[in-house]
């Protein structure tokens, strides 16, 4: 049995990764999602202070986004079958913007939870579609395309915490910063509304229930995605709070400092676009897991703002290749069921998001946030084990 990641290897010197309108369409979609997600995650501690919430209750915002992601994963294959990938993508853009409006106008916990649910669920349709579309559009170089579009996502996401932090420091509030997303979304609609995308032509016929099942190697790859997404959710949701309580940064500075994670992810993914064309995916993924582990260790023991922020950047560099490589492995191992595989990945991502932030928040309330962060290396080890198990 071949390793799930083998399909993501570059196909040799003759193969060249080339961007087309479909590539740029997906880049734009993931840029919108990246700004919202990475901009909102450090807002959670601010909501905790604004509404007087415990860490456990504040973490429900992450659970709301993740619940929306699960619902999107269940709906995505059906929506694509009925409306096609292009219309499903536009539904995701419209719904995410609508959820953002609800979130930013909400002045109580119920409203912000509903806004997070809507924005997260509809935005997850864009994420699910990106892997399937780019895999079909770029073939053997799908891993490079997926890595690059996630680099674009991280690049846009890098702006999120910085803009939110600046807005908070200037007294404008986080709502103004997140609402700025509506401007590029409108421009995106005008530029790409009629761009066609490849619909799923590689699906395996479903003549019986057993033939419709995703193969065993896929589920090992799926477990890798879930564990590594748990790491990402934990770091981006609660790193700002730890920076405030352990190294003494202000709320605005700690929120902006989370951008170090996204900055590291951006740089790592840009380099990863080249590396995925030259190196075996599983080797790159295990190396990225190890690098994230080193960065996290330095962050966990850091006692000064400079050391902590530098460690976050290193952790982000390791985390940069987690999602794109794990997803490309899963799609490659799906036996041609790209839309179904992407939907299941979205469900797994949602489960990680529902469990990880509230679990870490609850542990933080009971044993302290510093000790609670030890969940992260446990998830990294689990991911590495699943990568190795899936190769046998």
């Amino acid at each position: 049995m071949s390793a799930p990641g083998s399909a993501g290897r570059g196909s040799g010197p003759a193969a060249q990764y080339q961007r087309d309108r479909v590539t740029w369409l997906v880049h734009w979609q993931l840029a919108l999602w990246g700004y919202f997600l990475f901009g909102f995650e450090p807002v959670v501690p601010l909501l905790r202070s604004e509404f007087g919430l415990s860490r456990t209750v504040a973490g429900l915002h992450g659970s709301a986004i993740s619940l929306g992601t699960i619902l999107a994963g269940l709906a995505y294959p059906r929506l694509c079958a009925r409306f096609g990938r292009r219309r499903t993508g536009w539904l995701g853009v419209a719904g995410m913007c609508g959820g953002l409006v609800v979130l930013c106008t909400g002045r109580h916990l119920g409203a912000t939870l509903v806004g997070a649910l809507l924005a997260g669920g509809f935005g997850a349709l864009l994420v699910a579609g990106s892997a399937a579309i780019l895999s079909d559009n770029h073939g053997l170089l799908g891993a490079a395309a997926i890595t690059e579009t996630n680099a674009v996502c991280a690049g846009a996401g890098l702006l999120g915490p910085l803009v939110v932090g600046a807005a908070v420091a200037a007294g404008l509030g986080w709502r103004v910063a997140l609402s700025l997303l509506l401007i590029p979304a409108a421009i995106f609609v005008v530029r790409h509304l009629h761009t066609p995308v490849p619909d799923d032509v590689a699906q395996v016929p479903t003549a019986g229930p057993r033939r419709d099942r995703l193969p065993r190697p896929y589920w090992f790859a799926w477990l890798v995605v879930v564990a590594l997404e748990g790491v990402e959710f934990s770091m981006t949701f609660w790193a700002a709070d730890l920076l405030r309580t352990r190294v003494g940064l202000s709320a605005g500075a700690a929120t902006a400092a989370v951008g170090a994670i996204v900055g590291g992810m951006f740089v790592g993914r840009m380099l990863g676009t080249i590396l995925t064309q030259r190196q075996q995916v599983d080797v790159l993924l295990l190396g990225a897991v190890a690098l994230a582990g080193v960065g996290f260790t330095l962050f966990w023991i850091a006692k000064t703002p400079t050391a902590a922020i530098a460690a976050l950047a290193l952790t982000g560099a390791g985390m940069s290749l987690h999602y794109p490589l794990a997803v490309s492995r899963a799609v490659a191992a799906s036996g041609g069921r790209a839309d179904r595989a992407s939907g299941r990945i979205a469900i797994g991502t949602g489960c990680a998001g529902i469990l990880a932030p509230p679990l870490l928040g609850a542990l933080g309330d009971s044993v302290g946030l510093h000790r609670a962060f030890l969940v992260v290396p446990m998830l990294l080890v689990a991911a590495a084990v699943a990568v190795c198990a899936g190769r046998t």
Side-chain angles (χ1 to χ4, degrees):
M1 183 180 297
S2 62
S6 60
R9 188 183 301 175
S11 55
Q16 293 184 355
Y17 169 55
Q18 296 182 341
R19 304 167 191 87
D20 55 18
R21 284 186 61 84
V22 173
T23 313
W24 289 113
L25 170 67
V26 177
H27 283 2
W28 269 101
Q29 290 178 335
L30 267 290
L32 295 176
W33 170 251
Y35 183 89
F36 163 71
L37 182 63
F38 290 108
F40 177 64
E41 287 177 343
V43 163
V44 172
L46 303 179
L47 281 171
R48 177 186 170 222
S49 298
E50 180 179 340
F51 295 151
L53 307 174
S54 68
R55 290 189 179 95
T56 304
V57 175
L60 292 177
H61 288 90
S63 299
I65 292 178
S66 300
L67 176 58
T69 302
I70 293 174
L71 296 175
L74 292 170
Y76 181 75
R78 295 173 175 83
L79 290 172
C80 287
R82 183 174 179 84
F83 302 111
R85 287 174 175 169
R86 184 174 67 87
R87 292 181 179 177
T88 300
W90 288 118
L91 176 63
V93 172
M96 184 176 67
C97 290
L100 180 64
V101 171
V102 174
L103 174 65
C104 291
T105 58
R107 297 295 174 176
H108 55 83
L109 178 62
T112 55
L113 287 176
V114 170
L117 173 67
L118 293 175
F122 282 101
L125 294 177
L126 304 178
V127 181
S130 67
I133 291 170
L134 292 176
S135 293
D136 283 351
N137 194 57
H138 291 281
L140 291 175
L141 294 175
I146 293 171
T147 301
E148 183 179 72
T149 205
N150 279 273
V152 172
C153 178
L158 179 60
L159 295 176
L162 295 177
V163 175
V164 171
V168 171
L172 298 175
W174 61 267
R175 291 174 172 84
V176 171
L178 287 187
S179 297
L180 292 176
L181 175 66
L182 300 176
I183 298 174
I187 297 173
F188 170 60
V189 170
V190 172
R191 289 180 60 88
H192 289 283
L193 181 61
H194 299 293
T195 298
V197 300
D199 277 313
D200 197 344
V201 296
Q203 291 290 297
V204 175
T206 57
R210 294 190 64 83
R211 293 187 183 183
D212 197 34
R213 291 179 180 176
L214 289 160
R216 182 173 177 268
Y218 169 83
W219 291 109
F220 279 109
W222 182 87
L223 288 173
V224 176
V225 176
V226 173
L228 294 180
E229 282 299 279
V231 170
E232 184 171 330
F233 274 108
S234 297
M235 293 300 298
T236 52
F237 266 89
W238 291 116
D241 210 1
L242 191 61
L243 288 171
R244 293 170 61 188
T245 59
R246 185 163 175 82
V247 299
L249 287 180
S250 66
T255 300
V258 177
I261 298 178
V262 191
M265 293 174 72
F266 173 70
V267 173
R269 285 173 178 174
M270 292 302 294
L271 293 174
T273 303
I274 300 172
L275 294 174
T276 50
Q277 300 176 60
R278 301 178 179 178
Q279 184 59 264
Q280 213 272 338
V281 168
D282 284 359
V283 174
L284 287 177
L285 183 55
L286 289 172
V289 169
L291 181 59
V294 172
F296 171 80
T297 301
L298 295 175
F299 171 68
W300 197 74
I301 65 176
K303 296 182 179 179
T304 65
T306 301
I309 294 172
L312 283 179
L314 183 62
T315 306
M319 289 165 52
S320 66
L321 298 183
H322 289 179
Y323 182 80
L325 294 187
V327 168
S328 66
R329 292 177 77 253
V331 172
S334 69
R337 303 170 176 88
D339 284 341
R340 180 177 290 274
S342 296
R344 297 299 181 268
I345 290 169
I347 294 171
T349 299
C351 289
I354 281 182
L355 295 175
L359 173 61
L360 202 154
L363 288 174
D365 287 335
S366 60
V367 301
L369 191 59
H370 186 240
R371 291 183 180 179
F373 256 101
L374 291 175
V375 168
V376 170
M378 295 172 62
L379 290 172
L380 290 173
V381 170
V385 171
V387 170
C388 295
R391 292 174 58 86
T392 61

